[in-house]
Amino acid sequence: MDSLNSLLDGFGTALTPVNLLWAALGVLLGTAIGVLPGIGPAMAVALLLPVTYGLEPTGAFIMFAGIYYGAMFGGSTTSILLNTPGESAAVVAAIEGNPMARAGRGAQALAAAAVGHFAGGMIGTILLVALAPTVAALAVDIGAPDYFAIMVLAFIAVTSVLGSSRIRGLASLLVGLTLGLVGLDQLTGQQRLTFGSLQLADGIDVVIVAVGLFAIGEALWVAAHLRRTTGEAIPVGRPWLAGSDVRRTWKSWLRGPVIGFPFGAVPAGGAEIPTFLSYVTEKRLSRHKEEFGKGAIEGVAGPESAASASAAGTLVSMLTLGLPTTAVAAVMLAAFQQYGIQPGPLLFEREPDLVWGLIASLFVGMILLLALNLPLAPLWAKLLRIPRPYLYAGILFFAAVGAYAVGGEALDLVILLLIGLIGFGMRRYGLPVLPAIIGVILGPAAEQQLRRALQISDGSVTGLVGTPFSVAVYSVIAVLLAWPLLKRLVGRRRHVTA
């Protein structure tokens, strides 16, 4: 009841004309910035941090929240229409969204993503209000063996369900893990795969890898086949979701937050893991499994809902513990410190107007995001009317601009092209792209958690399974690995019996 009363007071703060203006401006800026490949929500918030020096804290954080959610949806827009993720959380949207767009259903994919963001954000924020103290306490109790187990589960899950074979999925994962090794060893400081280049000491940014594998690889693949096919524009199709689409997606919209919110609240990879796991879940539960990989709308709705709920989950640890679990949360933590405010257990007592005004603004931002992007879905989809030679030339340009904006180094453009060639080769030989992205994103973090777990257990491998949570996760992994074999054995026995 106290939380409900505080939330009502927060709406009184968030619904003032000035704060409504900041929320709308944040959503608009976030969507516009998110559409640019390489410039995700973290960079958007970081770029606007100096601009907010003259703002009072509540208005600044309300605008930051709008930018966060808006940039996540903007990243999904380019991911769906152009197969070019604006940020790592939008990678999964390309798997089913882009085939839908190429089949003339881009507007439906965007609408499913917009409603998914709305549903996930709303449910996630409600859970933030109701469960913040409990989830924060659970996050404190989870240790290095548990985080490593979760990441191994993500590796196994994507290599098992994507691509034409597990071997190809594993090969793709190894490509990603290798790219993730580039840079300095986090514990010893030793250079790995840098070839003596100081510019590679910080590693390869995941955005450059995602844009290279998806955008550059796709553009090169299309260019290689344009000689044999005509470069016709892709039809836009109907602008709204049909009743059959809604019947297929409403459960996905509701399932996404169940996966996304808990993962957002613990430092285990931000929105990437829950979006991957949501996709796997939707593929397992769908009655239209044959459509996956060819444009299944559930594969867009579920992950986008999970990503939005995960964004609400990240605020749990940041506000109650001062623990940033994503790059955006880290930048927002720096913004709190800029105003002389320290997030933690006492924040709700010391700054109730700011905290509850920020939480209430999340509800307002979700409504603004839906109101803005549903009418714009047909307009965004008209990008596909551009003939493919010009469209992919534009993609190459914006991909290069986004990659250069990440670090401001000419070497980033060379790396982008090399990774694009790897992406082209993966398409040529039927390797799924997503496991490689997962390897880059989670590989370094998995290595760090593995080392921590082994240090805690004095090098004993049993330390990796020393908690009930890790045992439960490894049990799920064992089932995933054994299931195809068991299925084959059961099929043989039935065949012999028959």
Side-chain angles (χ1 to χ4, degrees):
M1 189 59 69
D2 290 340
S3 296
L4 185 58
N5 291 333
S6 300
L7 182 62
L8 292 175
D9 292 337
F11 274 111
T13 302
L15 293 175
T16 59
V18 174
N19 288 335
L20 273 176
L21 175 64
W22 293 131
L25 184 63
V27 167
L28 261 174
L29 284 174
T31 304
I33 291 171
V35 166
L36 299 175
I39 304 181
M43 188 178 294
V45 174
L47 289 172
L48 292 170
L49 190 57
V51 180
T52 61
Y53 284 152
L55 293 180
E56 52 90 24
T58 304
F61 286 106
I62 285 174
M63 187 171 77
F64 283 155
I67 291 168
Y68 189 7
Y69 281 106
M72 289 185 73
F73 181 79
S76 303
T77 300
T78 51
S79 191
I80 290 168
L81 296 181
L82 308 179
N83 206 24
T84 308
E87 48 122 10
S88 55
V91 166
V92 177
I95 300 173
E96 301 300 331
N98 190 248
M100 285 183 68
R102 284 191 269 112
R105 303 191 68 219
Q108 285 80 20
L110 289 175
V115 178
H117 273 286
F118 175 78
M122 283 292 187
I123 295 171
T125 308
I126 291 169
L127 292 172
L128 167 63
V129 173
L131 302 175
T134 305
V135 175
L138 289 173
V140 172
D141 293 334
I142 292 178
D146 304 317
Y147 291 138
F148 179 69
I150 290 170
M151 292 172 188
V152 172
L153 173 61
F155 292 150
I156 297 299
V158 292
T159 54
S160 297
V161 302
L162 297 175
S164 54
S165 74
R166 287 190 173 193
I167 298 298
R168 287 191 171 124
L170 184 60
S172 175
L173 177 65
L174 290 176
V175 169
L177 291 174
T178 303
L179 291 173
L181 285 175
V182 176
L184 296 180
D185 187 303
Q186 295 180 0
L187 293 181
T188 66
Q190 194 172 20
Q191 292 191 15
R192 301 189 298 195
L193 301 179
T194 60
F195 304 102
S197 172
L198 291 176
Q199 291 170 310
L200 289 175
D202 289 333
I204 303 174
D205 193 280
V206 66
V207 171
I208 293 177
V209 177
V211 171
L213 288 178
F214 275 96
I216 306 298
E218 179 76 10
L220 293 175
W221 180 253
V222 170
H225 290 77
L226 275 179
R227 291 175 300 172
R228 289 176 294 223
T229 59
T230 57
E232 298 176 355
I234 301 171
V236 173
R238 288 182 299 100
W240 304 110
L241 290 172
S244 59
D245 293 328
V246 175
R247 285 191 293 274
R248 285 181 59 173
T249 51
W250 71 270
K251 290 181 181 178
S252 304
W253 289 328
L254 297 179
R255 275 193 293 261
V258 176
I259 299 172
F261 182 81
F263 275 93
V266 297
E272 291 84 11
I273 293 180
T275 52
F276 297 140
L277 293 183
S278 176
Y279 178 79
V280 171
T281 303
E282 295 307 321
K283 185 172 182 178
R284 294 285 188 195
L285 298 179
S286 176
R287 295 180 180 176
H288 306 273
K289 291 184 175 63
E290 72 283 353
E291 292 185 21
F292 275 78
K294 303 174 184 176
I297 195 168
E298 304 99 312
V300 176
E304 292 300 283
S305 179
S308 193
S310 175
T314 61
L315 295 177
V316 174
S317 295
M318 192 193 71
L319 294 176
T320 59
L321 297 174
L323 177 67
T325 60
T326 64
V328 178
V331 176
M332 290 182 74
L333 182 62
F336 271 105
Q337 293 169 347
Q338 165 191 306
Y339 287 102
I341 301 169
Q342 182 58 50
L346 298 177
L347 182 64
F348 283 78
E349 296 178 15
R350 293 176 178 171
E351 301 286 346
D353 291 342
L354 185 151
V355 173
W356 290 106
L358 172 64
I359 293 172
S361 74
L362 299 179
F363 290 101
V364 177
M366 284 294 104
I367 295 171
L368 291 173
L369 186 66
L370 188 69
L372 174 70
N373 284 296
L374 266 184
L376 284 178
L379 184 64
W380 286 121
K382 286 183 180 177
L383 286 171
L384 298 174
R385 289 189 183 276
I386 303 171
R388 282 193 293 171
Y390 305 110
L391 179 64
Y392 282 95
I395 290 173
L396 287 172
F397 173 76
F398 283 111
V401 169
Y404 186 76
V406 170
E409 297 283 349
L411 181 63
D412 290 338
L413 297 178
V414 177
I415 294 171
L416 180 73
L417 179 59
L418 291 175
I419 293 176
L421 291 172
I422 293 173
F424 174 80
M426 291 174 72
R427 284 168 173 79
R428 169 65 181 82
Y429 294 104
L431 271 65
V433 175
L434 186 57
I437 301 290
I438 278 220
V440 175
I441 293 171
L442 297 183
E447 179 190 11
Q448 188 178 27
Q449 299 297 346
L450 172 63
R451 286 182 167 187
R452 283 180 183 171
L454 291 175
Q455 284 175 340
I456 292 169
S457 63
D458 290 328
S460 174
V461 180
T462 56
L464 299 177
V465 288
T467 64
F469 184 87
S470 62
V471 171
V473 174
Y474 285 122
S475 300
V476 173
I477 291 171
V479 170
L480 278 175
L481 291 173
W483 180 247
L485 181 61
L486 292 173
K487 227 170 148 186
R488 198 175 302 166
L489 288 173
V490 170
R492 283 180 183 174
R493 283 185 180 178
R494 286 179 180 173
H495 181 71
V496 169
T497 305

